[in-house]
Amino acid sequence: MTSDDFSSARLSPRHDLEPSASATVSAGRGVGPTPVDLLRRLRARTAGDPVTHVERVPARAGVPAPWPPWAPPELREAFARRGVAAPWRHQAEAATLAYDGGHVVVATGTASGKSMAYQLPALATLLADPRATVLYLAPTKALAADQLRAVAGLELEGVRPACYDGDTPRAEREWIRRHSRFVLTNPDMLHHGILPGHAQWSGFLRRLAYVVIDECHTYRGVFGSHVAHVLRRLRRQCARFGATPVFVLASATSGDPATAAGRLTGLPVTAVTEDASPRGGVTFALWEPPLLPPDSGSSPPVPPQATGDHDDLHQVRRSALRETADLLADTVAEGVRTLAFVRSRKGAEVVAANARRALDDAVPGLGDRVAAYRGGYLREERRELERALLHGDLLGLASTNALELGVDLIGLDAVLICGYPGTRASLWQQAGRAGRSGQEALAVLVARDDPLDTYLVHHPEAIFGAPVEATVLDPANPYVLAPQLACAAVEAPLTPADLSLFGDGAKEAIDELVAAGALRQRPTGWYWRHRERPEVDLRGEGGAPVCVVESATGRLLGTVDGGSSHFLLHPGAVYLHQGVSYVVDDLDLADGCALVHVEEPDWSTHARDVTDLSVVSVRSYVDAGPVGMFLGEVDVTSQVVSYQRRRIATGEVIDTRPLDLPTRELRTVAVWFTLSPQSLASAGVQPADVPGALHAAEHAAIGLLPLMATCDRWDIGGLSTAVHPDTEAPTVFVYDGHPGGAGFAERAYGTASAWLRATRDAIAECGCEAGCPSCVQSPKCGNGNNPLSKPDAVRVLDVVLANLPA
């Protein structure tokens, strides 16, 4: 039995950099080559041609509209001072729908001015009614801080905008509750602070006119399902105070935004999707890192059991992290202000550190113009980095998706995307960070050694010719619904009238809470029985964040979410923070603290785990003769049991060290398929090769599922076995990595033929002989990518596709 659960490496710089003089004198604003010239120079510096496709996204003229007649003169004048002569047509349309009392979602492209669509009606109402209030929700603190700057910059009398989040000093919180009329926060603070303290917020909630939900497409999966119920709890409290606010949502371009927004809010929502804003042209390149020569001293071939992380040095292609670091150094040397998106926190640190090193080797001190940005930094660090990038003190920034969302980064010339971000919506959102002033921009997607990335750079029509995905969330998830109902009961006793508000499954969840002793039923409703509040993690990250503390000084370096702590902060793990390397001395899960010390080892660490899975129930299935396709509930048990140390320079495995960490249990939703042994034998798969065939097919299927659902491979896990005790047949499972499921397995089941066809093609079209990270090796394999059989995986999928109905 082989399994793949929820795991990253440091690289050396290149030394062939030729810095442009502009890099040492400019702030990166409009200085440097055109995107086409820049791409040509980048290609010329790489052996062979790494570019598989260049897409030209043409510039577009804007379509303005007159100011709505209800917009007060002082508001128009405030926008005029900011350089806005008139709204674009989609802004005026969405703003008018909201001002007239309709719930609306504006789903248009990056930099299309979605913020004006909600600022216009909200601020007009605040100016007309001196008692009205507005609540703004953003998924990240950086976005809320950016919007605060924008609203405050309008200098409208009496609005008094303020951020209320975990970084807000306690001395300011009382003033905000009493006096701010435009409060900017996030779903976490709404859940943990505002709704539990609704009595203190009664004046604000009683006068609440608008709820703005920015970047609502990010509320997907378990996180989105939790936020959906937080919004229902907000509506419930507003109704108790006599308020019925209008909901205005902003989203990146997405499939069926009205349905997704309606599922999120529980309200009928009208979508505005026709983008009338002007757009600068974008040169979009798909970049596949070159193959490493077999005798490469920097990355010799390594056995499959030593391969376990796409951030490491692979046997086939140059690391996407190393390639992105080189490209970032090259663009900064050209004087081009660049943002590099990297999927992991550790990866962002690696890219920034290597770009800095390469730049300093070329021009001492030039590396200071590059930094990393990620979640887990302290507030002061984040704000300083944002300021430095906005003012041009920094030319290059390697960031996680913390800067993907609407933060206004005017002046960026190029975006590097290290690995497909999981959805086309995120891809275009990240690419749109450049060119926000209307100038031409360059976007480069650097492919990882990953089945999906490899598939996409060789099938550009899957990016440029395909619609954006619909947002997937499931408010009826019982593992979300029951805890949220418990939170609602703490805020006020639940009544029968609340059942329709919380939707399908609410009565059953309440009955379970009563049976568990959490609620007491009385004639007037259901009451919370305990003194303490229920602990509910909105983001489904596996518990409270773990603090990373420097042993010698007691200094707080940052935080890591609880779900990742077993992989990133186990004793002996290498932890990176702003380019400084630390080694973990101790992980105290009970106290949520990891103690670390500064050390620069010549090795990286890679956690390994073991997984077991059992079928609980089958929701739906397709009987296709020798093939069965199933959807149902499963129990997954996993444990991080060891970690490998690998030399940074060569990828050589130094040793494997045991770990003693607690087991984790997960009940979730899975999709799985079974095959008869006879069908495999007829296809030429020998019995001894069945485990490797299924394992390889499982890896590739996990890698390709994000093509069908709004997830990435880190949201899902898998397991394959030649004979599973519950199915009594060769079986491949793919499951959601969140309690109760996140909707991804359902999407896989509904698109099984298309999903597995793309999986089969990705494996068959890969140019390697025995399997590589571009097709069947997985960056998170708990079994060290062993055994794997690439040709037999194609035979397995041929059997499935030949029998499964379209």
Side-chain angles (χ1 to χ4, degrees), residues 653-667:
V653 176
I654 301 172
D655 57 22
T656 299
R657 300 190 171 191
L659 290 170
D660 183 20
L661 292 172
T663 298
R664 293 183 165 186
E665 297 181 354
L666 172 73
R667 176 162 291 187

Side-chain angles (χ1 to χ4, degrees), residues 118 134-148 162-166 182-191 194 211-219 223 227 230-231 234 248-250 264 383 402 405-407 538-539:
Y118 53 75
V134 173
L135 181 67
Y136 168 95
L137 298 175
T140 67
K141 293 177 182 178
L143 180 53
D146 184 74
Q147 284 298 302
L148 174 63
C163 270
Y164 189 90
D165 57 32
F182 197 117
V183 173
L184 302 99
T185 187
N186 51 63
D188 306 85
M189 181 55 79
L190 180 61
H191 165 63
I194 295 176
V211 176
V212 176
I213 306 173
D214 208 353
E215 305 291 2
C216 67
H217 65 281
T218 63
Y219 301 123
F223 180 39
V227 172
V230 171
L231 296 177
L234 173 63
V248 186
L249 302 94
L264 184 65
R383 298 296 176 264
L405 307 177
V407 178
L538 290 192
R539 298 178 185 264

Side-chain angles (χ1 to χ4, degrees), residues 539-619:
R539 298 178 185 264
E541 292 174 335
V546 175
C547 297
V548 184
V549 178
E550 189 175 17
S551 303
T553 64
R555 181 168 64 104
L556 176 64
L557 298 176
T559 60
V560 169
D561 66 85
S564 300
S565 61
H566 289 219
F567 290 93
L568 301 181
L569 294 177
H570 60 77
V574 175
Y575 175 81
L576 293 180
H577 182 81
Q578 278 293 11
V580 179
S581 175
Y582 299 83
V583 172
V584 178
D585 299 314
D586 180 61
L587 172 61
D588 189 332
L589 292 170
D591 290 339
C593 179
L595 298 178
V596 303
H597 69 270
V598 176
E599 184 179 341
E600 289 286 344
D602 63 352
W603 38 263
S604 58
T605 54
H606 307 264
R608 303 182 69 180
D609 64 342
V610 295
T611 301
D612 194 16
L613 181 150
S614 61
V615 175
V616 177
S617 65
V618 174
R619 293 184 183 177

